[in-house]
Each structure stands twice: as C-alpha cells, then as structure tokens.
Amino acid sequence: MDKYTLIPILPLAAFVINILVGKQLFKERAHWVSTLAVFGSFLIAVITFFEVVNGKNLNYDAYTWVLSGSFKVSIGFLIDPLTAIMLIVVTTVSLLVHIYSSGYMHGDPGYYRFFSYLSLFTFSMLMLVMGNNLLQLYFGWEAVGLCSYFLIGFWYEKKSAADAGKKAFIVNRFGDFGFGLGVIMIFLFLGSIQYSDIFAKVGSLQGQTISLLGYDVDLITLIALLLFCGAVGKSAQLPLHVWLPDAMEGPTPVSALIHAATMVTAGVFMVARFSPLFNLSSTAMAVVAITGALTSLFAATIALVQNDIKRIIAYSTCSQLGYMFLACGVGAYGAGIFHLYTHAFFKALLFLGAGSVMHAMSGELDIQKMGGLRKHMPITFWTFFFASLSIAGIPGLAGFFSKDEILWLAYNGGPIGKTVWIIGTIVAGLTAFYSFRIIWLAFFGSFRGGHELEHHLHESPSSMTVPLIILGAGAISAGWIGISPLLGGNNWIAHFFEPVLGHPHVHGSHSKEWLVMGISVTVAGVGILTSMLFYLWMPGIPQSLSVKFGAIHKVLWNKYYVDELYDFIIVRPVKWAAVNILVAVTDGKIIEGIVNGIPSRIAAFGEHIRKVQSGNLQHYAIGMCVGFFAILTLIMIIFTK
Amino acid sequence: MLPVIFFIYFAIATTTLSILVITRKNPIHSVLFMLALFFHIAALYLFLNAEFLAAVQVILYAGAILVLFLFVITMLNLKMEVFTEPFIGEWPLSVSIGVSILLLIFLSIRDFLKGPLGPYTIDVIQQETNTKIVGKVLYTEYLFPFEIASIILLIAIVGAMVLAKKKN
Amino acid sequence: MVPLEWYIGLSTIIFMVGVVGFMIRRNLIIMLVCVELMLNAVNISLVAFSHYLQDLRGQVFVFFIITVAAAEAAIGLAILVTLVRNKGAVHTDEITDMKG
C-alpha cells in the first residue's frame, strides 16, 4: 500500500469507524477520528504536490477488478499537475471544514453521523480526482452526489431539508443520465475506459458522425456534450442549477465544503480532465462557454436582490462556476482550474464566515435583520471582508489573478470569446456589488434585529475562527502562484498545467492586456462604490429602485420563476403519472392482479378439485375402476396394434 | 354333452345368484343367497376334480364365514335397512364401468395362450385321492406358507377379539 | 369338454359383479360380502387353471386364499362393529370424516 493509496483510504477508514462505533465509542469526540484522517491525507497530498512540482507523473493501477480481454476495470491513480492541485484544494478545505465543524456542530445529536458523512464525502471526492479511468470518476461522481444528499438532508426531521436533499439528488440524476450515456459512448467507440487509452485514441474519432434521429451529428461533439450534461448537473449550471440554493438547508460547513469548494467543482475538473476530447469539438466548447457565461449572469442577477445570506453566497458560487466553465469553453482550462483553486479559498471562507454570523445571530439568516456586526465579531468581519475583496477581483488578492486570467484569455478567444468576455465583465461588476452588499448590510450600520438578539452577539469560538483566518490567508495569497507576466510574475501555474491542459493561443498585445485588466478592475470598483452608495450612504435608493422597476425586481426575487416552471413542466406531470398510471394501473391492476390473482385462481381451482375428495369410499373405488379401465384400454391398444 | 349342460346350469346359477346377492335390500337375504352361491361354487370345484377344495369351501365359507356375517348382521340390528335406498347415487356410472371392463377382458380372453402342462394329470391324482396329493404337496413344498397361514389366523383371532371388545 | 375360456369368462363375470356391487351398495356389510364374492371368483379361476394345466399349485393357492379370506372377514367385521359402535351409522355416505 503506497502513500497515494492512503490518501483516499484514510477518510474511508474514518467513515467506517465513525458510522459503526461513533455513536457508542466516540460520541462527542468523533471529530478526532475524521479530522486526524483528513489531516493525514492532507500531509500526503502536500508531499505529493511537491513531488509533482519537481516533475513526477504517475499513472498506475492499484487494484485490477475485472480483466476480460481488452476490457479492464481497475482502481487506479493518475498523479499529474491537475490531480495535485485538486488534492490540495480538497484536502485543505476538507481539513479546515472538519476543524470548523467541531465547533459549529457542537451539541448536535447527530454529531458522529456528520463526521462520518464528511469523511465519506472526502473519500469519494478524492477517488474522483485521483482516478485514472472513467469508471472511478463515475463512482466518485455518484458517491459525492450521495454524500451531498446525506449532508443536505442532515437534519432530516425538517421537511424542507429532506426535500432539498431529494431535489439535489434528483436534479443531479438528470445530468448524470447524459454523463452515463457519454461514458458508454466513449467505451463503445474507443474500447477502453482508461484515460491513457482514451486520450491516445480520441483523435481517430475526429470527423466521424453518428446518425441521430435522421440527422448526422459529429461524434466527438455528441460525446463531449453528453459528458457536459453531467457537469451541468453537478456544477449547478443553467438549466440544472435549481438544487444549489435549496442545498443551503444543510449545515453551513457542508455548504462550504461541498457546494463551494469541492463537489460542485467536480464538473469543472471533469471538463478540464477531458480537455483533449473537448479541444476536438469547437461546437461543444462554444456550448460550454456560453452556458457558463449565461449561468454566471443569471445567478449574479438573482443574487442582487436576495436577503438570505447563504443564498446570496450560493448564487455567487453558481456564478463563479459559470466563470470556470467560461474559461474551459474558450480553451483556457488552466485558467479555469486556477480560478477553481482560488475560488475554493474565498468561497469556503465566505460560507464559513456566514456560518459564524449565523452562530452569533442564533440561526438568523436574513441580512436585513443584521447590522453593525463588525463591532461584535472582528475576526469574522475582517476575513469576510478580504474574501469579498478577493471575489470582487481587487488587485493583489487571489481572485484578481485568476479572474483576470480568465477574462484576458476569453477576450482572445475569437468571436464567441469576445461575447463571453463582455458578459464576464458585466458579471464581475455585479459580483462586486452583491458581495459588498452583504458586508454593508450585515457588518456596518446599526443592528436591526431587535434587542433580544443583540445581547447574544458574540465572536465564535477559536475552533471556528482559526479556519477562517487560515482561509483568509489563502484567499489573499493563493493567487500569487499565477501572477501574469504583465505584472512581473512568471505565471507559474499556467506553466505547471501546460503538459496536461495545454495553453490557448494568445495573440493579443500587451496593451490590450492592460486594457482588459483595467476594465475589469474599474468595473469591480464601480460595483463596490455603487453598493456603498446604495447601502451605506443613501439607504433609500434600493427601496425606490425596487418600486420603480417593480416587475424586474419581482422576477429576480422569484429567481426567474425557474422552479415554478420545472414544477409545472416536470414535477406535476410526473406526479400525476405516478398516481394515476403507476399506482392505479401498474401497481393496482397489473401487479396486484397478478400477485392476488394467481393465489385466488389457484384457490378457486383448488375449491373445484377438492370436490373429488368426497369422503365417500365408493367414489374413490369408482375412480380406481375408471383408472383401471383406462390402463387396460391403453395396454390393449398398445400391445395388440 | 352332459358336462356342458351342467356347466351352463352352474354358470347361469352362479351369475344370477351373485347379482341377487348385490341387489337385495335386506342384508340377510343377501347373505343367504351368498350361501347358495357358495354351494354352487363347491359344485363347480367338484366338476374340476378338486374334491378337497369343495369340502373346504363348504366347511369354511358356508360354515364359518357366512355364519360370522349372519351373526354380525343380527347383532347390528338393521331394522331400518329395508326402508332405505340400497344403492348410492352414482350407480349407473359404476354399472357401466363394470360392464365396460368386463367386455374388455372378454376381448382379451380370445388371445389367451395356455402355459406349459404340469405333471399332475387326472390319472395321477385319482391314483391317490385328491386330498392326499394336496396334503403331500402342502406339507413338503409349501410347508412354510402353511405355517405362516396359521400365524395369520392367530393374528385374526387376537385382532378380532381386541377390536370388538366392549370397553367397560 | 368345457373349454378353459368358459371358466375364465365365468370367473370374470362373478368378479365384475363383485366389483360393481362393491361400488354401488351403501351398506358396509354388503360391501364386505362383495369382497368375498370377488375372492371366490378368483378361486374359481385358479382351480380351473389347476385342472387344465394339470398342476396342483392352483389348488394349493386356493387353499391359502380361503384361509386368508376367513381371517380377513373376521377382522373386517370386527372393524365394522367398532365403526358402527363409534359412528352409529352403517352406510358409507354417512361416514365422510375424510371429506376434504
């Protein structure tokens, strides 16, 4: 068992231990098992990262399960730059969330269960990113979806939480259906599910078409789009984004870990991992880019008017994921992954900070009811502040470098690239606006939540604030590995990714690059200043605007009515069909008919046959004689013919 | 000529008597017709040079078994028997089945093959009497079944006593 | 001489009369009488064969059959007596405990 296998095995062991004996043995100390396991994985991940930095690349099968001719199913690990960065992201955020949860979930009756699910999730995510074949990816994919369901519906007695868990899993399933089809098609046409085989042979499929409903569809485009379906579901892009806001029903550490840093980024990871495939289909890449851009715009506009702090951050995640797909769509996979890496830090920090705020506000989520919290919780405030600066793209902080890289490479990406660049810039402004909206409303001004709550306001315990500080440091500094040459750096991260993800052509001049950078910083600044205007200096403006543009406000407030649309188109017909067709006909008439009908027919038949047993001896004698006569006849016929 | 006439008489008599046995309402009449039947069968045995068996038939069947039947019938006091229906409901079916099997066997008798002849011709038997010859064979070749038969009778005695005893 | 087939035919007739009688009479005692009838029919057949095949084995066999018939009649009647004592009925259609 080499050290790479230990990375996923340790959390798995923690899961097994906690779920089996956690309740009896560890109770309030269950977090030690999980946290130590993840810490172990974190250390090995760091060592692995430095090994990869020094040039190590590894692709081996740890355990071969099925070997049948050319079909091979195995548990294998592919350690390359992409995996190394993902390992750092997953283990770091997971470790910090574990530490944070020991404070946040203190006293919860399902304490041991929470940590076992966190460990299971970590295991699944690690299997997903470290896999070297599609089956392992799919296994990890489904497993993280399952853990998401467990963790979103953690407080399962609450109906909204249970419903949210179901919604997440079912919506994911829609995406996974396409993903599964894509996997099958890859196996069908390329004959293997190992990455090395796929990437070697994928060029041979170029130009092949497949007949679909009478139309000739390019094969690679079809496969890429099917794979992208899974990413749309998992990463909450349009139109399968509806589960992410509802997923906020889960505990805040869950939102930080799963719906900010790791699970939702699995879609981006998958698209980046399959960059050789996507690069061969410009149609698919265009679809990816446009979907990402539209999602980011869509989510950002909704986030402008929401009042639930976690929901705003959830839509922000949705929007930033759109950025990452935007990047992948224009060929800048490295930039997309770089943004994934920085986003993990500041988004997890935002969520954990929101959790800290909720902790102080005794569970209250409405930012309209908060105010002036920076006096009571300075650490939370400062970390939240830096995270917001980072997400807005203020120079010097992590988000600036990654976002700028994306926007610059999008600008260079042809006509589609320019279109999505425009959308991306607008979204950058909106992002700055709504991120700082939270800060002004929650941390500045006077407290609007009533005297009762005001007495309870306090800073969170160190188990919660220390992760905040660590993440804050990351939110500030994580981007320094990708400083663009324009600003004097050597863009180390782009070179790091180049062997795996390639590098898009950049044919713009330096002056254009300064221009793009300037525009994005200006837009961010305008966003921050506007929000300051609206919420700090002249609080009457948002009110009057919402009245003047009442219709738009209503649409945004109701999230573009997407949930209602889905309910009308999909949920209601399915429910109707379930009750009227499946329950009434299939279950009631057919299955019940068979299950009840067969015994009743047999019983009726038995009732008839039973009359033979009359109890009268002579009836039996008559039967015997009839039989004897029959046999005699038979013998006479057979033996005399 | 004469044997044939005798045989025809005995055949018709036994057939009629047996039909009478099964159709009488009064069980005592039935048993009495059975008595007549046994005598006719004994006569048939005489016809077939089996004097010993004829005697045994009369002694055992007519003298013992029949008397047993009569005793049981009188013991059971079946006064109402005469007024009840003698046959079960499905009697036409039974009769037709019986007749069918009868016809079937009649059909097969025509293709009947005789087996090999044994040593005991009529002359040999008439040298020593039938009884003596039967006795000789019984006590030498068939001694073992003979002893078993006695045990069977013992079982019958014990069994009948055990079953019919009144519990007091 | 009387052909053997006539004896076999006679035996069959008496046997079938016994069978039919067994099947149609309601009184249990008469059913036992019909059993005796069947046994006698077989006896006739055996003695006829013994005569025509010039072998004594038929007669010896009849000897044993008569013995066993006696024993069986005794036990059968004893059972019948017990049955009538317990059930009170001597007709077959009144004794239907095995009806299922």
Side-chain angles (χ1 to χ4, degrees):
Chain A
M1 172 103 61
D2 54 11
K3 62 174 184 292
Y4 307 112
T5 323
L6 271 181
I7 302 182
I9 292 284
L10 282 172
L12 180 66
F15 160 70
V16 171
I17 295 176
N18 254 333
I19 199 84
L20 288 177
V21 298
K23 194 170 186 183
Q24 295 93 327
L25 216 54
F26 294 112
K27 291 179 271 254
E28 287 306 302
R29 298 180 308 250
H31 61 275
W32 280 112
V33 181
S34 293
T35 316
L36 282 174
V38 174
F39 185 64
S41 295
F42 169 73
L43 287 177
I44 306 179
V46 169
I47 297 175
T48 314
F49 179 72
F50 282 110
E51 278 181 7
V52 177
V53 165
N54 286 327
K56 184 166 182 172
N57 249 349
L58 210 54
N59 183 348
Y60 73 101
D61 289 330
Y63 172 70
T64 307
W65 184 31
V66 173
L67 186 60
S68 158
S70 61
F71 177 60
K72 184 175 182 193
V73 176
S74 59
I75 299 177
F77 300 121
L78 170 63
I79 312 286
D80 69 357
L82 180 60
T83 315
I85 278 285
M86 291 301 294
L87 281 178
I88 294 286
V89 167
V90 174
T91 50
T92 313
V93 178
S94 186
L95 178 64
L96 293 172
V97 163
H98 273 81
I99 299 176
Y100 183 91
S101 304
S102 62
Y104 190 83
M105 299 294 290
H106 184 79
D108 191 288
Y111 196 68
Y112 76 98
R113 200 161 49 94
F114 188 76
F115 278 95
S116 61
Y117 289 153
L118 278 186
S119 304
L120 182 66
F121 171 81
T122 313
F123 160 71
S124 316
M125 192 70 200
L126 287 169
M127 286 293 272
L128 198 160
V129 301
M130 285 174 73
N132 74 345
N133 60 67
L134 266 174
L135 201 62
Q136 199 167 332
L137 180 76
Y138 197 75
F139 161 73
W141 197 267
E142 297 297 328
V144 294
L146 179 69
C147 294
S148 172
Y149 165 77
F150 282 145
L151 286 163
I152 294 174
F154 182 70
W155 290 312
Y156 52 82
E157 280 114 7
K158 204 163 143 212
K159 184 168 196 306
S160 55
D163 285 346
K166 267 194 296 186
K167 186 173 182 178
F169 198 77
I170 294 176
V171 173
N172 251 255
R173 220 60 204 113
F174 276 89
D176 290 348
F177 175 63
F179 188 56
L181 282 178
V183 170
I184 292 175
M185 286 191 77
I186 287 186
F187 179 65
L188 256 160
F189 286 98
L190 290 172
S192 168
I193 51 170
Q194 306 275 334
Y195 291 161
S196 43
D197 294 338
I198 296 174
F199 297 148
K201 290 196 237 170
V202 75
S204 65
L205 289 179
Q206 208 170 5
Q208 271 191 41
T209 58
I210 184 171
S211 174
L212 201 64
L213 300 172
Y215 292 101
D216 273 334
V217 179
D218 181 44
L219 185 61
I220 293 197
T221 309
L222 184 64
I223 296 180
L225 286 177
L226 284 174
L227 290 177
F228 185 57
C229 272
V232 166
K234 188 67 73 185
S235 300
Q237 299 297 293
L238 225 55
L240 294 175
H241 64 285
V242 288
W243 63 274
L244 191 56
D246 283 28
M248 298 301 117
E249 294 284 341
T252 313
V254 168
S255 309
L257 178 61
I258 299 187
H259 308 124
T262 41
M263 184 181 99
V264 292
T265 57
V268 184
F269 167 76
M270 188 268 291
V271 172
R273 175 59 81 200
F274 278 84
S275 53
L277 186 74
F278 278 89
N279 276 333
L280 293 172
S281 164
S282 51
T283 323
M285 287 178 75
V287 169
V288 170
I290 294 178
T291 311
L294 284 177
T295 310
S296 58
L297 184 64
F298 179 84
T301 49
I302 296 182
L304 291 177
V305 300
Q306 298 297 316
N307 278 333
D308 181 335
I309 188 173
K310 279 179 76 175
R311 277 197 201 202
I312 300 177
I313 307 179
Y315 281 111
S316 166
T317 307
C318 198
S319 181
Q320 295 298 307
L321 288 167
Y323 256 108
M324 295 178 216
F325 280 110
L326 193 159
C328 292
V330 297
Y333 302 98
I337 298 293
F338 182 35
H339 195 61
L340 190 159
Y341 163 73
T342 55
H343 170 266
F345 286 100
F346 53 70
K347 192 46 64 63
L349 177 53
L350 284 175
F351 268 115
L352 293 184
S356 180
V357 166
M358 279 171 62
H359 193 77
M361 296 278 296
S362 312
E364 180 57 61
L365 291 167
D366 195 339
I367 53 175
Q368 303 288 1
K369 294 209 178 83
M370 304 177 192
L373 288 177
R374 79 177 187 287
K375 292 183 280 248
H376 302 274
M377 15 183 21
I379 303 180
T380 310
F381 166 66
W382 281 110
T383 51
F384 206 90
F385 184 69
F386 277 107
S388 300
L389 282 180
S390 196
I391 197 175
I394 298 301
L397 296 164
F400 163 71
F401 296 109
S402 56
K403 195 182 276 200
D404 213 64
E405 185 77 11
I406 293 179
L407 288 174
W408 167 237
L409 290 171
Y411 184 78
N412 276 303
I416 294 192
K418 288 229 171 35
T419 325
V420 298
W421 171 75
I422 297 175
I423 299 180
T425 316
I426 299 175
V427 172
L430 293 174
T431 310
F433 180 84
Y434 63 67
S435 303
F436 274 86
R437 175 170 173 258
I438 303 179
I439 298 213
W440 309 134
L441 278 176
F443 290 100
F444 285 79
S446 53
F447 190 69
R448 297 180 291 275
H451 282 291
E452 234 345 278
L453 283 175
E454 195 162 6
H455 287 302
H456 287 269
L457 292 175
H458 60 283
E459 182 62 271
S460 304
S462 57
S463 60
M464 287 165 70
T465 52
V466 167
L468 288 179
I469 297 174
I470 299 179
L471 283 174
I476 296 174
S477 61
W480 293 344
I481 55 173
I483 302 180
S484 162
L486 204 64
L487 297 166
N490 65 343
N491 207 347
W492 176 85
I493 190 97
H495 295 299
F496 183 57
F497 282 139
E498 201 159 336
V500 184
L501 299 173
H503 198 86
H505 295 296
V506 178
H507 39 255
S509 60
H510 278 297
S511 56
K512 278 233 175 71
E513 201 171 343
W514 277 115
L515 181 68
V516 167
M517 196 182 294
I519 292 179
S520 61
V521 173
T522 318
V523 160
V526 165
I528 297 180
L529 286 171
T530 323
S531 66
M532 225 191 265
L533 178 74
F534 277 27
Y535 295 102
L536 210 54
W537 296 329
M538 299 167 77
I541 297 188
Q543 190 67 18
S544 58
L545 271 179
S546 68
V547 168
K548 219 156 70 162
F549 297 101
I552 302 181
H553 183 259
K554 194 154 180 255
V555 168
L556 291 180
W557 173 258
N558 283 307
K559 307 164 277 176
Y560 292 91
Y561 296 107
V562 178
D563 276 318
E564 285 79 2
L565 183 72
Y566 284 166
D567 183 62
F568 186 70
I569 294 182
I570 299 177
V571 176
R572 276 207 213 138
V574 171
K575 272 197 181 157
W576 180 90
V579 170
N580 293 345
I581 298 179
L582 289 176
V583 171
V585 176
T586 328
D587 200 37
K589 294 213 176 70
I590 298 180
I591 296 183
E592 291 285 316
I594 294 177
V595 167
N596 285 342
I598 291 184
S600 66
R601 291 284 159 279
I602 293 179
F605 184 64
E607 280 295 322
H608 280 294
I609 299 257
R610 159 203 276 215
K611 290 179 190 145
V612 173
Q613 299 285 333
S614 61
N616 191 334
L617 179 65
Q618 283 153 319
H619 293 166
Y620 305 158
I622 295 175
M624 272 169 62
C625 287
V626 170
F628 177 63
F629 175 66
I631 293 177
L632 218 57
T633 325
L634 225 71
I635 291 178
M636 294 202 67
I637 293 176
I638 293 177
F639 284 106
T640 54
K641 276 295 182 286
Chain B
M1 194 58 211
L2 208 57
V4 178
I5 295 175
F6 268 116
F7 175 77
I8 290 175
Y9 162 69
F10 281 123
I12 294 176
T14 46
T15 317
T16 321
L17 282 170
S18 58
I19 293 179
L20 283 171
V21 162
I22 68 171
T23 51
R24 292 299 97 203
K25 270 199 189 158
N26 196 336
I28 302 212
H29 292 176
S30 221
V31 172
L32 288 175
F33 278 121
M34 197 160 83
L35 173 68
L37 177 73
F38 287 155
F39 275 114
H40 280 78
I41 293 180
L44 270 176
Y45 288 168
L46 284 174
F47 229 50
L48 292 166
N49 274 312
E51 297 94 11
F52 176 62
L53 277 180
V56 166
Q57 168 91 354
V58 174
I59 295 171
L60 267 193
Y61 261 113
I65 295 176
L66 206 84
V67 172
L68 190 58
F69 269 106
L70 275 173
F71 270 130
V72 171
I73 290 175
T74 48
M75 196 173 83
L76 289 182
N77 217 355
L78 302 166
K79 281 231 174 58
M80 300 312 295
E81 192 62 31
V82 196
F83 302 108
T84 55
E85 175 67 40
F87 302 138
I88 65 171
E90 291 88 5
W91 69 267
L93 173 67
S94 315
V95 171
S96 50
I97 290 177
V99 170
S100 334
I101 299 182
L102 183 70
L103 290 172
L104 218 59
I105 299 183
F106 272 178
L107 275 172
S108 66
I109 292 179
R110 264 183 299 152
D111 304 319
F112 171 69
L113 288 164
K114 255 207 270 195
L117 296 174
Y120 293 96
T121 61
I122 301 180
D123 303 311
V124 168
I125 295 180
Q126 285 182 340
Q127 271 185 337
E128 305 172 58
T129 58
N130 177 283
T131 314
K132 234 189 195 172
I133 289 256
V134 168
K136 265 198 197 165
V137 172
L138 204 58
Y139 277 91
T140 51
E141 265 187 76
Y142 299 102
L143 182 62
F144 187 58
F146 187 73
E147 301 299 328
I148 301 291
S150 63
I151 294 183
I152 291 177
L153 288 169
L154 175 68
I155 294 172
I157 296 171
V158 172
M161 273 203 292
V162 164
L163 280 171
K165 213 161 88 145
K166 271 210 176 111
K167 303 203 189 334
N168 46 352
Chain C
M1 274 312 293
V2 183
L4 176 59
E5 287 79 10
W6 289 22
Y7 278 104
I8 298 176
L10 173 68
S11 162
T12 317
I13 292 175
I14 299 181
F15 184 79
M16 289 321 295
V17 167
V19 167
V20 166
F22 184 84
M23 285 198 288
I24 69 177
R25 286 303 300 249
R26 281 176 65 226
N27 195 328
L28 274 173
I29 305 174
I30 307 298
M31 282 173 76
L32 282 171
V33 163
C34 293
V35 171
E36 299 301 325
L37 203 56
M38 286 190 257
L39 284 165
N40 274 289
V42 171
N43 286 354
I44 295 179
S45 172
L46 275 167
V47 171
F49 271 112
S50 161
H51 179 253
Y52 280 90
L53 293 181
Q54 295 170 353
D55 198 342
L56 268 184
R57 282 186 293 188
Q59 298 192 15
V60 170
F61 202 12
V62 169
F63 178 83
F64 286 121
I65 289 181
I66 294 179
T67 314
V68 171
E72 167 251 322
I75 302 251
L77 286 168
I79 292 176
L80 189 128
V81 163
T82 324
L83 183 66
V84 171
R85 242 189 241 150
N86 283 332
K87 288 275 165 229
V90 80
H91 294 135
T92 53
D93 40 13
E94 288 154 20
I95 306 170
T96 54
D97 278 355
M98 294 293 278
K99 186 176 166 78

